[in-house]
Amino acid sequence: MAQDPTVPKLNFEYWLDKAIEWGQATTLESQKDVCLHLSQLQEFLHQLYEAIKHLGPTVVIQQFPLIGQLLGRLCWNPFVIGYDESQKTLMWCLCCLYSSEPQNAVELKANSWVRSLLCHLLSSSKWESNEAETSAFISALGYTSADYYCHLVKNMVVSLVRELRENQFNGLNIQESISASRVNAVSIFCVPLITLPDLAPLLETLLLYHGGSSKEILSSEFLESVNEAFLKKKISLPESVVFSLWLRHLPSLEKATLHLLDQVLSIQLNSLEEVACVIKDSLLPQAASHPAIFRIINEIFKSALMETDGTSEVLTVIQVFTQLFLQDHQNENKQHKFPLKAYFPYHHQPLVRRLVRRPFELPTTYWSEHVKHISDMVKALVEDTNASSLTDLFEIWFLVACFGEWLDIAAEQLLKAAVEPDPVLWLLAFYYCPKNENQQRTQTVVEAQAVYSHLMMLFNCADLSLKDLEAAVHRVMGTEQCCNQQFTTHLLTNFLLFSPGGHKIAQECIYHITEITDTSKEVHNLLIRTAHRFNHSGEENQRTVKLLNELLQKLTLKV
Amino acid sequence: MDAVLRQVEQLPALLAVSRSAQVRDWDCLTLDRALEWARYFQHLHHRFRARPQLREALGRRLRRSQPLPLLGFPALGRCPQLLGLALLENRALPPAACRCLLRGLLQPPGEGSGCDPRGLALLARRKAAARLLALVPGPEGQLQAEARLLPGRLREQGQEAEARLREQGQEAEAQLLPGRLREEGQEAEARLLPGRLREQGQEAEARLLPGRLREQGQEAEARLREQGQEAEARLREQGQEAEARLREQGQEAEARLLPGRLREQGQEAEARLLLGRLREEGQEAAEAAGQLPWLRAALEQLPQPRACGVVAAALALLPQGCGTEQAGDTDRAAGSSQGGYQAGAAGDGCAAGLLLSWLLGDQERFSAFCLCLPSSQLAFLAGHYSQLSRSYLDLLTSWGSRLVYDPLQGRWVKSCLDKAELSWEELRERFICLCQGPALLREQTQAALELLRTRDGDFKVRGLSVWTDLLMEVGY
């Protein structure tokens, strides 16, 4: 018969071969192989079901004459039946193969085959050796197999949990090697069952369980699957269990961090509070109270920055993450707290101590001095000839970037307070153009000084027009280096927000800049951060707050 | 309310019919109506479970309407499953009705609401979970030496099983081969025939030579259909064969690979269900005072050693307070266990009383119970149930007094070899376990032994009285 064009391309032979190869999965290798293929198989079963449903059993049977073999074999594989929703799809397939008006002996026999498979899946009946009596007994009590298996699974879970806990407390014993292989086996058998709620206590116990040896005792398939289910929110786990998972299995931690970045980058950010919610929800800042976890997360952040060439969204994630981590760290019980050095072991400690101060811990009047201290320290470090390798430079820059709030405050102080501008401008120049050599940086600072003094001249001007700002705007657009561009945009935006005359032309000016230079994302991020700070420390000038909200609304539509 | 009570009375009859050959006459309509009723009963359960008086009334009416009161109020809640699974297993149900049943039970996506949407998938999943967890090699404990060998042996067995499966797979494939060749031939033929007709512009040709062509096409199609049916038949047979073989292997593997755990946990699960039922009976059971006929009937469904194991597990669960949760209702709404049966200590005492009266009511049964359970478990139960400890000590006494001293071997031996009684070593172990129990039990055991020794003449030398020797063994 000619191939029906509507039959979807199904990888039938492949899965039949697999099912035969697996048998009932009695060897470790086949068990692991089943675990690796479970989600693909589920996908295939779904396609198969759709095919049977749309084409009818006859066509499908002609297309795949061995479908009975495949389904029969899968129904006897507890890994497949135990996995997620595979059992449901398999039963639907069987249901479709049952004919309501069997025409001949063959179809009758096929019907009976479908029924016995379903009985095998659902009841504790004659089909299994030790369950014949159970079936009679539970139905004599007026119960069904559903009641029985509910208790059976719970009992088995409880007994395994008890055994694992006892084993853990016994500590070292002679049986160690045996226990290790048993625990490993348990973890493999749990892979298909991870999302089954009855299993929760066993998952938790396993994840907190460490054998006597330093080698990982749980199978990597198990650890990966648990992490996956957790990230997809198919299961929830107590925090301590999640931390234990990430501590013992670094690929999971890496996946969790990348998952967080993906998540934040894929949504449209309307406020920093939103970002903070997503980040907190990931449990990563809480987990980072383990210094090892903190450092690994930061390494992943660093490579994400490298790969995205310092995208402002990634920077925002890093900054909010660091803030949340600090919050947790400061709230933690003194006794169990690790010293800061454990988290930043290779950095200049006095600088670390300055940076970790939260702005609200200091009086506002002290901010500019604090910024100046930071700038001086960074400058000394950067200009130190002993530490001038690119890696060192990057490490210093990354540390400063993690605490970006101080940079925003620095830029704000330039316009709001009487400060000595040079150190502040230098710090911002370093932040925006870290790759510059010393000479170049001096040049950047000189240019920034020009823009800054120009802006300061206009600061108290009540009646401003776009033309007055032309020089600064021109600098934003004229420069080829995008880092200089961002630097100047930052200064200009702050000028528009905080100068009395800037308000009138702010909309127009920002529209103009973002339109031509494609920096709307950066400006948006800057405004979001400013709004966040206003919410926390309060901004006395209501006009500025109003303008900020208007600008944000306009830009949100555009981004 | 009267109408509702009368409706509920019909439930036992409905379930009885669903298990009988009468379903032979059922069509889709009958089946849907039966499922409707089941859902209605479930609805009643949800509505009344938080109202003790109505619940009590419904339960009473249910119990009154059946010869052996198997079904109590909670049965209403699981009615769709009781009915659905009973019908699924009933081979008398005709195909059309069965198809309706499958749709109703499994509720494929987009086909309206069935009963209990996630119930059956969860059941299948749990059953697989039980099998998977049972695959964990058994706990070491007393079999430590064996356990050390276990992984190796398991692997061997696994490899064997795998090799066998592979062989059989190849066999099955070999059997399929001629068939497949034939099929391919047919396919090729088929491709030549209707394929060409179709490809070369069926319509145009058909218009020219309508009759003959159509006939030919129909013939070809008919042939193909026949072949398709044949293939289908073959495949289903193959499926069945493969399945049968797998089932056998599964049983074998289970028998070989899953020793203690599954049996033990299975018994405990059964024990929990048993306690659930006893609690459902609640007050009425207490009033019935004596044995419950259904309890005996249910336990008789199990082989004696298993029944003993289940009762022992149930008795062991009671002092732990494990029985208090509603059996079988655990993953339904919490309301049923909260507003439920005044379980608590009183209910548990009553349940224990019923189980003990079943156990102690028949000397032969009790003696089998004490023979098949391990001494530690018996000592645990004796420590918790004074009724049981008295009978146990009496039984041990009667076994002990039948041991005779063999002066040639210098030890106590059974007077009658094949009788189901304990040897000296076993007796000794049982007494040692009793003396390791709680203080009260220890004193009771010791007092009994001392009394027996006194009766035997109060000798303090070995080999004269079995009681003297036992006292020495337990350290007095």
Side-chain angles (χ1 to χ4, degrees):
Chain A
M1 170 178 265
Q3 172 119 10
D4 188 328
T6 52
V7 176
K9 191 92 191 77
L10 285 176
N11 220 346
F12 190 88
E13 294 293 323
Y14 173 78
W15 289 110
L16 182 61
D17 287 347
K18 276 284 174 207
I20 292 169
E21 185 190 314
W22 292 336
Q24 297 199 43
T26 41
T27 69
L28 198 63
E29 281 67 33
S30 64
Q31 286 162 354
K32 283 193 174 171
D33 194 52
V34 185
C35 290
L36 284 176
H37 288 87
L38 283 170
S39 77
Q40 280 169 277
L41 175 61
Q42 176 155 299
E43 182 59 29
F44 164 77
L45 284 173
H46 215 88
Q47 290 168 356
L48 187 63
Y49 167 68
E50 291 294 329
I52 305 177
K53 199 173 77 176
H54 287 119
L55 304 171
T58 321
V59 175
V60 170
I61 286 171
Q62 276 166 9
Q63 203 72 45
F64 308 112
L66 296 180
I67 190 173
Q69 235 214 83
L70 175 68
L71 295 180
R73 281 181 181 272
L74 293 179
C75 283
W76 279 85
N77 189 322
F79 284 83
V80 175
I81 300 304
Y83 181 66
D84 207 33
E85 298 202 320
S86 294
Q87 70 298 110
K88 207 189 272 179
T89 320
L90 263 173
M91 289 197 283
W92 291 340
C93 288
L94 289 174
C95 180
C96 289
L97 290 179
Y98 190 92
S99 67
S100 55
E101 287 166 10
Q103 301 297 320
N104 48 40
V106 174
E107 290 191 5
L108 275 171
K109 219 171 155 191
N111 272 357
S112 133
W113 171 74
V114 168
R115 279 179 85 167
S116 44
L117 270 184
L118 286 171
C119 281
H120 156 67
L121 291 176
L122 295 173
S123 44
S124 53
S125 55
K126 316 94 195 148
W127 304 107
E128 261 122 311
S129 55
N130 62 338
E131 295 188 342
E133 297 113 13
T134 299
S135 171
F137 179 65
I138 54 182
S139 71
L141 289 178
Y143 289 115
T144 66
S145 50
D147 303 303
Y148 175 70
Y149 284 110
C150 171
H151 283 291
L152 184 58
V153 170
K154 273 180 195 148
N155 286 350
M156 294 182 111
V157 167
V158 167
S159 116
L160 282 168
V161 165
R162 197 189 307 128
E163 197 188 319
L164 283 170
R165 292 215 175 118
E166 276 164 13
N167 205 5
Q168 178 89 307
F169 294 133
N170 284 344
L172 298 167
N173 60 32
I174 331 145
Q175 303 292 314
E176 219 173 282
S177 62
I178 299 165
S179 327
S181 70
R182 290 192 67 227
V183 175
N184 185 269
V186 176
S187 73
I188 291 175
F189 298 141
C190 284
V191 171
L193 307 174
I194 282 166
T195 54
L196 183 65
D198 309 271
L199 263 272
L202 183 56
L203 296 190
E204 289 165 21
T205 313
L206 277 173
L207 289 169
L208 295 171
Y209 183 91
H210 292 274
S213 80
S214 56
K215 252 179 72 186
E216 178 56 69
I217 197 169
L218 304 176
S219 79
S220 55
E221 290 84 359
F222 171 76
L223 294 166
E224 274 161 28
S225 311
V226 173
N227 191 53
E228 181 101 355
F230 172 74
L231 293 181
K232 286 187 177 158
K233 298 206 183 297
K234 286 184 169 180
I235 53 170
S236 62
L237 295 168
E239 283 187 12
S240 60
V241 174
V242 180
F243 302 165
S244 170
L245 166 67
W246 289 340
L247 269 173
R248 69 195 297 165
H249 192 240
L250 293 185
S252 287
L253 177 59
E254 191 180 341
K255 234 183 219 161
T257 313
L258 294 177
H259 180 79
L260 171 67
L261 283 172
D262 277 348
Q263 229 181 329
V264 177
L265 297 190
S266 67
I267 52 172
Q268 177 166 17
L269 302 176
N270 293 318
S271 69
L272 226 49
E273 283 78 6
E274 236 172 80
V275 183
C277 263
V278 178
I279 296 181
K280 235 188 215 164
D281 202 39
S282 75
L283 293 188
L284 283 167
Q286 297 90 319
S289 69
H290 293 268
I293 291 186
F294 177 84
R295 275 148 56 188
I296 287 163
I297 293 176
N298 265 345
E299 287 308 313
I300 298 168
F301 281 159
K302 279 178 208 166
S303 49
L305 271 178
M306 302 276 217
E307 270 166 40
T308 58
D309 208 23
T311 316
S312 60
E313 289 106 315
V314 177
L315 267 172
T316 306
V317 175
I318 297 174
Q319 288 167 2
V320 176
F321 170 83
T322 313
Q323 277 179 16
L324 291 171
F325 157 75
L326 273 184
Q327 254 173 41
D328 274 7
H329 187 258
Q330 282 165 355
N331 292 340
E332 239 170 79
N333 189 340
K334 278 248 162 31
Q335 274 184 330
H336 306 294
K337 196 145 90 171
F338 287 95
L340 274 172
K341 196 169 181 351
Y343 302 95
F344 304 96
Y346 307 114
H347 294 97
H348 186 59
Q349 293 306 308
L351 176 60
V352 172
R353 279 197 297 276
R354 287 240 170 240
L355 286 170
V356 298
R357 298 300 293 273
R358 314 285 314 277
F360 63 80
E361 292 170 32
L362 303 172
T364 354
T365 46
Y366 188 70
W367 283 359
S368 31
E369 204 182 325
H370 191 74
V371 169
K372 184 180 177 306
H373 282 307
I374 292 174
S375 174
D376 290 345
M377 277 180 178
V378 175
K379 195 170 180 194
L381 286 173
V382 169
E383 288 172 358
D384 179 358
T385 41
N386 293 328
S388 53
S389 82
L390 264 181
T391 337
D392 293 337
L393 204 63
F394 179 66
E395 284 299 327
I396 300 169
W397 177 84
F398 182 76
L399 181 69
V400 174
C402 283
F403 300 91
E405 201 172 7
W406 280 119
L407 293 158
D408 289 334
I409 288 176
E412 224 171 271
Q413 292 289 305
L414 276 175
L415 292 157
K416 286 174 79 179
V419 289
E420 189 190 335
D422 290 2
V424 180
L425 288 170
W426 185 90
L427 184 62
L428 289 168
F430 171 68
Y431 174 66
Y432 279 111
C433 317
K435 287 182 202 153
N436 281 355
E437 300 286 326
N438 283 343
Q439 195 99 48
Q440 266 178 300
R441 184 163 302 118
T442 316
Q443 180 59 32
T444 310
V445 174
V446 169
E447 283 169 23
Q449 275 166 340
V451 174
Y452 172 67
S453 48
H454 177 64
L455 290 175
M456 283 315 276
M457 263 173 15
L458 301 172
F459 192 80
N460 287 320
C461 211
D463 196 24
L464 273 177
S465 71
L466 200 54
K467 210 163 185 307
D468 298 316
L469 291 174
E470 207 165 282
V473 173
H474 180 73
R475 214 188 107 73
V476 171
M477 293 177 203
T479 179
E480 272 142 41
Q481 275 179 295
C482 82
C483 50
N484 282 349
Q485 195 177 53
Q486 284 181 29
F487 184 8
T488 317
T489 309
H490 194 163
L491 290 179
L492 195 59
T493 311
N494 275 357
F495 172 81
L496 294 169
L497 278 175
F498 298 113
S499 71
H503 288 197
K504 255 190 284 171
I505 53 166
Q507 298 268 18
E508 190 185 358
C509 184
I510 283 184
Y511 180 80
H512 189 62
I513 297 173
T514 54
E515 194 68 357
I516 295 172
T517 58
D518 191 27
T519 49
S520 45
K521 256 191 190 164
E522 283 71 25
V523 176
H524 185 248
N525 262 310
L526 171 64
L527 293 177
I528 279 181
R529 295 203 302 271
T530 314
H532 175 71
R533 223 175 22 264
F534 282 4
N535 287 342
H536 282 252
S537 47
E539 166 66 36
E540 54 282 3
N541 190 337
Q542 286 311 306
R543 274 185 64 205
T544 306
V545 177
K546 189 163 163 271
L547 172 66
L548 180 67
N549 288 334
E550 281 167 13
L551 288 175
L552 262 176
Q553 262 177 5
K554 276 258 164 70
L555 269 180
T556 309
L557 290 175
K558 231 177 125 188
V559 171
Chain B
M1 192 60 205
D2 233 28
V4 172
L5 286 173
R6 247 176 286 124
Q7 285 164 342
V8 163
E9 243 175 30
Q10 302 301 313
L11 172 60
L14 175 65
L15 289 178
V17 169
S18 74
R19 295 193 183 105
S20 75
Q22 287 178 51
V23 299
R24 192 170 292 122
D25 305 324
W26 282 23
D27 57 10
C28 247
L29 209 67
T30 334
L31 186 110
D32 282 341
R33 223 178 300 138
L35 288 180
E36 277 302 313
W37 275 107
R39 266 171 244 146
Y40 171 69
F41 287 136
Q42 189 177 37
H43 167 75
L44 286 182
H45 178 263
H46 292 330
R47 232 176 88 194
F48 293 131
R49 69 182 163 196
R51 303 170 67 179
Q53 280 184 337
L54 293 174
R55 205 180 53 215
E56 199 50 49
L58 285 175
R60 214 175 303 123
R61 187 60 74 96
L62 256 179
R63 277 191 290 269
R64 216 181 294 150
S65 59
Q66 47 192 330
L68 283 182
L70 294 177
L71 305 164
F73 175 76
L76 292 175
R78 64 176 81 85
C79 204
Q81 270 185 353
L82 274 172
L83 183 75
L85 290 173
L87 285 169
L88 185 66
E89 287 180 53
N90 189 344
R91 295 293 165 135
L93 191 70
C98 185
R99 183 152 170 89
C100 293
L101 172 73
L102 298 185
R103 285 183 174 273
L105 284 182
L106 302 175
Q107 198 199 357
E111 292 199 14
S113 62
C115 49
D116 215 0
R118 35 161 239 136
L120 288 185
L122 184 64
L123 163 57
R125 217 179 161 199
R126 279 185 172 146
K127 195 176 171 199
R131 265 191 83 195
L132 277 177
L133 295 179
L135 282 173
V136 177
E140 290 87 16
Q142 68 260 45
L143 299 169
Q144 284 178 350
E146 265 202 45
R148 234 166 270 148
L149 302 171
L150 207 58
R153 212 182 307 145
L154 277 175
R155 208 171 306 129
E156 275 172 28
Q157 283 177 356
Q159 280 163 0
E160 255 175 58
E162 205 196 0
R164 222 178 306 136
L165 255 181
R166 204 177 305 131
E167 268 176 34
Q168 284 167 1
Q170 283 164 358
E171 227 178 83
E173 264 180 335
Q175 282 165 3
L176 294 180
L177 206 59
R180 217 184 287 155
L181 279 176
R182 208 180 311 132
E183 270 166 42
E184 274 168 10
Q186 286 161 359
E187 228 178 82
E189 220 178 286
R191 235 178 279 135
L192 287 176
L193 225 132
R196 203 193 303 151
L197 288 182
R198 250 175 247 145
E199 276 162 29
Q200 291 179 354
Q202 241 176 6
E203 266 178 50
E205 274 187 42
R207 236 175 278 134
L208 288 173
L209 302 164
R212 208 189 306 153
L213 269 178
R214 204 172 306 131
E215 264 167 41
Q216 278 178 3
Q218 279 166 358
E219 242 175 69
E221 253 173 70
R223 216 179 309 141
L224 278 174
R225 201 174 308 126
E226 263 170 42
Q227 284 161 4
Q229 279 169 0
E230 243 175 67
E232 203 180 312
R234 224 176 303 133
L235 100 92
R236 287 194 187 164
E237 267 166 39
Q238 283 157 10
Q240 282 165 2
E241 246 173 66
E243 201 209 330
R245 227 173 294 142
L246 277 170
R247 191 184 309 137
E248 265 168 40
Q249 283 171 2
Q251 284 169 1
E252 243 174 70
E254 242 174 70
R256 233 184 302 155
L257 298 176
L258 327 173
R261 187 184 299 276
L262 192 60
R263 204 180 325 124
E264 218 173 86
Q265 304 301 337
Q267 271 179 13
E268 199 179 310
E270 286 164 356
R272 282 180 196 274
L273 292 176
L274 181 62
L275 288 177
R277 276 298 288 145
L278 285 170
R279 210 158 279 120
E280 279 171 21
E281 289 298 312
Q283 297 289 300
E284 230 160 275
E287 285 154 20
Q291 293 186 12
L292 295 173
W294 65 260
L295 177 64
R296 202 180 321 133
L299 286 168
E300 270 163 16
Q301 300 289 330
L302 296 172
Q304 200 175 47
R306 178 99 154 268
C308 290
V310 170
V311 170
L315 285 171
L317 283 169
L318 282 168
Q320 295 167 25
C322 295
T324 28
E325 93 199 9
Q326 257 303 284
D329 254 10
T330 36
D331 54 353
R332 272 164 251 259
S336 62
S337 50
Q338 275 173 5
Y341 315 81
Q342 306 77 18
D348 281 354
C350 159
L354 288 164
L355 290 171
L356 285 172
S357 76
W358 173 81
L359 190 58
L360 303 173
D362 180 326
Q363 188 57 32
E364 212 171 300
R365 187 184 298 143
F366 183 61
S367 129
F369 180 84
C370 295
L371 271 174
C372 72
L373 286 177
S375 16
S376 53
Q377 204 175 349
L378 285 166
F380 174 83
L381 294 178
H384 280 95
Y385 302 100
S386 56
Q387 235 178 315
L388 191 138
S389 74
R390 270 196 305 280
S391 304
Y392 184 37
L393 278 173
D394 288 347
L395 188 64
L396 289 179
T397 308
S398 84
W399 279 337
S401 48
R402 264 175 258 158
L403 291 178
V404 291
Y405 194 73
D406 182 346
L408 292 176
Q409 294 182 54
R411 60 192 196 90
W412 296 91
V413 292
K414 285 194 199 176
S415 57
C416 172
L417 270 180
D418 38 65
K419 243 196 163 172
E421 286 173 5
L422 292 184
S423 68
W424 157 257
E425 286 76 16
E426 289 164 328
L427 195 66
R428 179 176 153 268
E429 200 203 328
R430 276 169 205 240
F431 273 108
I432 290 177
C433 271
L434 283 174
C435 289
Q436 284 164 349
L440 202 66
L441 184 64
R442 197 168 55 231
E443 283 160 22
Q444 196 187 352
T445 310
Q446 198 186 336
L449 280 175
E450 277 167 356
L451 183 70
L452 288 163
R453 181 176 64 181
T454 314
R455 248 190 243 160
D456 268 6
D458 215 1
F459 294 106
K460 304 264 161 77
V461 226
R462 279 186 186 266
L464 290 176
S465 159
V466 74
W467 314 118
T468 309
D469 290 13
L470 278 170
L471 270 168
M472 288 177 170
E473 290 290 337
V474 301
Y476 293 103

